Amino acid sequence: YLSTGSILPFMTVEAKIGWFRHRVIAEGVEYPVVSGRRGWLSVVDSRGGATRVRYDGLRDRIHIEGPDGSLEIRIRSLRDTTFQWRGHVYRIASKLSGRIIIYEDERVAAEGKLTSSGRWVFEFFSPTLRSIERELVLGLAMRPSMMFLT
């Protein structure tokens, strides 16, 4: 995926968590985020319905459910967080500079940062993550201490 001299990012996704409204923007298109029961948020799009995401602050986990399957990411604070999606293993690493990098093996699958306006901006390079990119960014953005994942 991303290496020295690589091509432009596959997809850019932004998420902004607000008191009354959350926003997800992918490649300049804003997708509605609807609040559901028990803390679930649904991202509605034209790809075949809604995929929902929930951050469980008590257990420090992100849950994603949609037409392509379910995913639970258990955040580990003292080491890299890993998760599996569609036969691939991903590792989430954070840097003190406020950057988050998601690795697939040793390749960069996605890279994100917190902007000065409070918006998380991620660039996705892995086509395997495409089906959950908006929900993944929204779930990570809901986590209050995202900068200190590792």
Side-chain angles (χ1 to χ4, degrees):
Y1 302 128
L2 184 63
S3 61
T4 305
S6 64
I7 60 173
L8 293 175
F10 188 75
M11 173 69 90
T12 301
V13 179
E14 302 175 27
K16 172 113 174 138
I17 302 299
W19 288 102
F20 302 107
R21 184 181 116 156
H22 307 308
R23 298 176 53 180
V24 174
I25 302 166
E27 291 299 309
V29 177
E30 184 170 344
Y31 292 89
V33 177
V34 180
S35 296
R37 296 174 53 176
R38 298 187 178 153
W40 285 99
L41 298 175
S42 295
V43 180
V44 182
D45 69 5
S46 60
R47 290 188 304 195
T51 300
R52 59 189 202 154
V53 61
R54 177 172 62 103
Y55 172 67
D56 180 351
L58 185 61
R59 293 182 180 89
D60 206 8
R61 296 180 182 172
I62 298 168
H63 302 274
I64 298 174
E65 293 181 358
D68 293 330
S70 297
L71 171 65
E72 179 183 80
I73 301 173
R74 297 176 182 185
I75 307 298
R76 292 177 169 80
S77 58
L78 297 177
R79 56 186 176 190
D80 287 346
T81 296
T82 60
F83 66 94
Q84 290 187 4
W85 180 248
R86 291 188 169 178
H88 299 271
V89 177
Y90 296 91
R91 178 173 53 94
I92 303 174
S94 65
K95 309 294 180 193
L96 291 178
S97 62
R99 290 179 44 222
I100 302 293
I101 301 173
I102 302 174
Y103 294 97
E104 180 183 329
D105 296 322
E106 292 305 313
R107 298 179 301 215
V108 175
E111 191 170 3
K113 64 180 178 178
L114 180 63
T115 66
S116 59
S117 65
R119 183 177 290 176
W120 281 100
V121 178
F122 273 78
E123 294 176 335
F124 282 84
F125 308 101
S126 170
T128 310
L129 289 176
R130 177 141 180 135
S131 63
I132 60 166
E133 63 201 3
R134 294 182 288 246
E135 295 78 14
L136 182 57
V137 172
L138 185 59
L140 289 170
M142 286 191 296
R143 190 166 187 273
S145 58
M146 188 168 138
M147 285 179 27
F148 305 106
L149 278 171
T150 58

